[in-house]
């Protein structure tokens, strides 16, 4: 056939198939897709995220299409090899999109994001209230040991305890207690008392005794009689908890990975090390909930902070009693149990779609947590440890639902999708980055430096007793009557945001600043306006007893009816009709005056 004959036969077929004259084929279609990831160092894909896809004209292509998860491609979270699928996860692909311009994708379609965010906020407040009650209960539980320690120190403590782990505990206590403080307030330094005891009894430092003779066989026989390994692990766990307080996901995961080296020890501790290895290498779904919580709420940091404040009420005489009861030094296991329980909780309700599954990781973590808990047996002081574990476990279990609710509140759009894989990144350390920005607002800004989560309790005391500046460690001319800090980066930024969003309430002080040409202004709001209750979990601080010239000590601060004060450097415009420019300097919690 010649070309004209071919066209004559093809045109009717084309008209039937395409409905267009002189078009012998169907309409052109193309694949489009979007991949959602966090901008963390692990390139964590956001899996099982419901998306709505529309074409360039706004017509619906797919009403709800979830991004791929491990279970979508024949694997389960934390099955060996799942990590190799990372580059293929978090993708939503549609293969029959029309060629009529860029497409759009929207997360969590049809969901009332505002209501979901409020539900997450209510879960957070419930969890924080539980932490407050836990701290109060544990203060009562450990009070007898604290009072005995303040009264008698090491009197009656076994020499085996001091010789076996006393020195290591003393060194760790020195470095960590000054950061975390204690739920009891300003204790006499346990570390200093221990150092003094060792100096008075130098013979106890001669010829180290095999520590396994005094430690729980079931738990600590795998430490290979090496006290250094025990305290190295404690330091690594403390570092993990501090990164949670900072909202630093990358830092937390990096420090957590360091604990995977415990796998070489075998036994229960080795199982923990293996769990950490697999949870990071092949775990993906649980990390989604973790990132949301670390980035957008302070709860994991507050759990860590509250736990450690109670841990430092477990004074050396308490651990000596555990030795005397034959239980041994189980603090590393208690903190390892806490991390394992957090992983298990995040695995229980990780996904937001119907097919979400925690896979093997959640089961493995929960089983290991139970194994550690069940291996701790005894009476007397052991009951206090078990009460600590059981009560904090009830709070830790609540983070799974919170992580899920936060993922359900993710709302952002991917526009101009032209190809099969448009990458979209969600911040993984949102509030940490915001706080870093505030710290650099202007030269001399001192809010995060003087009142941030990383200011130690020792620095707070020295500020009001010795006039020592927490940021520079230099002696100042003035010592304030109290020294306070936020316990998390999230809450410090929240305080700033809340005030900025409510600037219309400060017309009078702003007008006075303009009238008097003030170049600095402090604006305040009541803590209950934002946090409603249980403020003593979110903040820490001391109030000086006595005058600045003759201080006699410090008392812990009660923030229940306190305020948040935020200081601004003021820039006055040349045009009187223009608003003042407020440049952030600091935010800090204040007790009721």
């Amino acid at each position: 056939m010649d070309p004209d004959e071919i066209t004559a036969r093809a045109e009717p077929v084309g008209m039937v198939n395409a409905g267009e004259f002189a078009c012998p084929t169907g309409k052109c279609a193309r694949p489009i897709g979007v991949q959602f990831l966090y901008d963390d160092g692990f390139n964590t894909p956001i899996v099982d995220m419901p998306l709505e896809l529309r074409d360039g004209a706004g017509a619906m292509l797919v009403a709800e299409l979830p991004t791929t998860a491990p279970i979508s491609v024949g694997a389960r979270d934390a099955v060996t090899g799942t990590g190799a699928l990372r580059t293929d996860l978090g993708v939503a692909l549609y293969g029959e999109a029309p060629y009529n311009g860029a497409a759009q994708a929207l997360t969590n379609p049809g969901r009332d994001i505002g209501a979901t965010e409020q539900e997450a906020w209510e879960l957070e407040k419930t969890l924080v209230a539980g932490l407050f009650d836990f701290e109060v209960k544990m203060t009562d539980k450990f009070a007898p040991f604290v009072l005995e320690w303040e009264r008698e120190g090491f009197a009656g403590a076994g020499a085996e305890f001091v010789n076996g782990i006393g020195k290591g505990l003393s060194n760790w206590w020195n470095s960590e207690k000054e950061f975390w403080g204690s739920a009891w307030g300003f204790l006499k330094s346990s570390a200093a008392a221990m150092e003094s005891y060792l100096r008075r009894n130098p013979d106890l430092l001669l010829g180290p005794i095999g520590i396994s003779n005094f430690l729980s066989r079931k738990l600590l026989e795998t430490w290979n009689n090496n006290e250094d390994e025990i305290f190295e692990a404690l330091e690594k766990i403390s570092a993990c908890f501090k990164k949670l307080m900072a909202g630093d996901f990358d830092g937390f995961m990096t420090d957590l990975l360091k604990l995977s080296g415990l796998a070489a020890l075998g036994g229960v501790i080795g199982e923990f090390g293996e769990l950490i290895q697999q949870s990071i290498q092949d775990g993906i779904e649980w990390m989604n909930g973790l990132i949301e919580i670390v980035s957008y709420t302070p709860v994991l940091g507050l759990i860590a902070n509250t736990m450690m404040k109670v841990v430092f009420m477990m004074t050396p005489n308490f651990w000596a009693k555990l030795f005397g009861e034959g239980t041994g030094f189980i603090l590393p296991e208690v903190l390892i149990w806490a991390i394992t329980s957090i992983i298990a909780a995040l695995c229980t309700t990780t996904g937001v779609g119907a097919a979400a599954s925690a896979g093997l990781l959640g089961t493995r973590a929960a089983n290991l947590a139970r194994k550690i808990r069940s291996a701790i047996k005894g009476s007397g002081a052991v009951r206090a440890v078990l009460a600590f574990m059981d009560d904090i476990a009830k709070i830790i279990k609540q983070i799974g639902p919170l992580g899920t609710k936060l993922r359900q509140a993710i709302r952002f759009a991917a526009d101009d999708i032209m190809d099969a894989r448009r990458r979209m990144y969600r911040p993984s350390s949102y509030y940490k980055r915001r706080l870093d920005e505030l710290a650099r607002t202007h030269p001399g800004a001192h809010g995060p430096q003087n009142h941030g989560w990383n200011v130690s309790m020792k620095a707070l005391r020295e500020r009001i007793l010795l006039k020592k500046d927490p940021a520079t460690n230099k002696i100042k001319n003035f010592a304030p009557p109290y020294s306070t800090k936020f316990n998390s980066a999230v809450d410090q930024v929240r305080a700033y945001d809340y005030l900025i969003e409510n600037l219309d309430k400060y017309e009078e002080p702003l007008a006075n600043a303009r009238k008097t040409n003030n170049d600095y202004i402090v604006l305040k709001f009541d803590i209950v306006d934002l946090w409603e209750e249980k403020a003593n979990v979110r903040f820490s601080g001391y109030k000086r007893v006595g005058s600045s010239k003759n201080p006699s000590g410090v008392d812990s601060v009660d923030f229940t009816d306190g305020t948040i004060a935020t200081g601004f450097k003021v820039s006055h415009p040349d045009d009187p009709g223009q608003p003042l420019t407020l440049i952030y300097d600091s935010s800090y919690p204040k007790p009721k005056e």
Side-chain angles (χ1 to χ4, degrees), residues 361-383:
L361 181 63
T363 301
R364 183 176 181 182
N367 287 341
L368 181 57
R370 281 193 292 269
K371 185 182 294 187
I372 295 174
R373 165 63 177 80
S374 62
I376 301 174
K377 300 181 184 299
S379 58
V382 177
R383 283 198 293 265

Side-chain angles (χ1 to χ4, degrees), residues 165 211-217 220 223 230 323 326-329:
I165 62 170
I211 193 168
S212 62
N213 292 332
F214 306 103
L215 301 184
S216 168
R217 294 286 182 179
L220 289 175
W223 287 110
I230 295 175
F323 264 65
T327 302
F329 183 61

Side-chain angles (χ1 to χ4, degrees), residues 258-335:
K258 294 175 183 177
L259 289 170
S260 66
L262 296 176
L265 296 180
V268 172
I269 306 303
E271 284 186 56
F272 171 76
E274 292 171 357
L275 173 73
I276 297 303
Q277 280 182 338
Q278 191 173 27
S279 65
I280 295 177
Q281 293 173 3
D282 295 311
I284 295 163
E285 292 177 305
W286 78 282
M287 293 168 68
N288 287 184
L290 174 66
I291 295 175
E292 288 298 314
I293 292 176
V294 169
S295 297
Y296 294 97
T297 80
V299 295
L300 281 176
L302 296 181
I303 288 173
N305 185 36
T306 304
M307 281 180 52
M308 295 302 282
K309 285 197 294 184
V310 173
V311 161
F312 283 98
M313 291 178 61
M314 300 179 191
T315 44
N317 59 320
F318 171 80
W319 293 110
K321 289 182 188 298
L322 285 179
F323 264 65
E325 295 170 6
T327 302
F329 183 61
I330 56 175
L331 178 58
E333 278 64 33
V334 170
L335 299 184

Side-chain angles (χ1 to χ4, degrees), residues 56-111:
M60 183 72 71
L61 297 176
V62 184
E64 186 166 312
L65 177 67
T67 59
T68 52
I71 200 168
S72 306
V73 291
R76 299 286 295 277
D77 205 25
V79 170
T80 301
T82 301
L85 302 172
R86 276 181 188 274
T87 55
D88 299 319
L89 299 176
V91 178
L93 185 64
Y94 179 67
E96 296 295 324
Y99 249 108
N100 66 341
Q104 298 177 323
L106 182 69
T107 63
N108 284 312
R111 185 176 295 281

Side-chain angles (χ1 to χ4, degrees), residues 34-41 43-47 49 107-108 113 117 120 249-250 287-297 403-413 423-431 433:
V34 61
Q35 184 178 29
F36 284 89
L37 305 103
Y38 292 101
D39 63 352
D40 64 289
N43 282 324
T44 305
I46 305 179
V47 298
M49 170 62 67
T107 63
N108 284 312
I113 299 300
E117 289 175 333
F249 172 78
D250 286 346
M287 293 168 68
N288 287 184
L290 174 66
I291 295 175
E292 288 298 314
I293 292 176
V294 169
S295 297
Y296 294 97
T297 80
T404 296
K405 194 60 63 177
L406 289 169
R407 292 188 64 203
Q408 291 173 343
I410 295 176
R411 187 74 160 183
F412 67 113
R423 288 192 162 194
M424 291 292 293
Y425 291 92
R426 180 166 171 82
S428 61
S429 297
Y430 173 75
Y431 279 106
R433 296 179 187 183

Side-chain angles (χ1 to χ4, degrees), residues 81-194:
T82 301
L85 302 172
R86 276 181 188 274
T87 55
D88 299 319
L89 299 176
V91 178
L93 185 64
Y94 179 67
E96 296 295 324
Y99 249 108
N100 66 341
Q104 298 177 323
L106 182 69
T107 63
N108 284 312
R111 185 176 295 281
D112 186 339
I113 299 300
T116 306
E117 289 175 333
Q118 184 61 34
E119 290 172 18
W121 175 236
E122 294 302 324
L123 286 173
E124 177 184 319
K125 289 191 292 185
T126 299
L127 197 152
V128 170
L131 282 174
F132 174 82
D133 294 338
F134 166 78
E135 184 175 315
V136 171
K137 183 177 179 180
M138 291 298 106
T139 301
D140 291 339
K141 179 72 68 175
F142 288 97
F145 303 103
V146 174
L147 290 171
E148 179 186 81
W149 175 254
E150 291 189 325
R151 184 175 62 250
E152 302 177 13
F154 255 118
E160 298 91 349
F161 169 78
V162 179
N163 197 24
I165 62 170
K167 188 67 174 178
L169 178 60
S170 176
N171 292 337
W172 182 72
W173 214 288
N174 266 324
S175 61
E176 293 296 324
K177 184 174 183 296
E178 296 298 356
F179 176 85
W180 300 103
S182 167
W184 190 260
F186 185 30
L187 285 172
K188 293 179 181 177
S189 173
S190 304
M194 191 181 297

Side-chain angles (χ1 to χ4, degrees), residues 225-271:
N225 301 339
N226 190 339
E227 299 102 277
D228 292 339
E229 283 182 343
I230 295 175
F231 292 102
E232 184 180 348
L234 278 175
E235 289 169 358
K236 290 177 180 177
I237 295 170
S238 296
C240 285
F241 287 163
K242 289 177 184 178
K243 297 298 170 50
L244 287 177
M245 292 178 67
D248 183 358
F249 172 78
D250 286 346
F252 172 72
M253 294 299 287
T254 299
D255 285 344
L256 192 63
L257 187 58
K258 294 175 183 177
L259 289 170
S260 66
L262 296 176
L265 296 180
V268 172
I269 306 303
E271 284 186 56

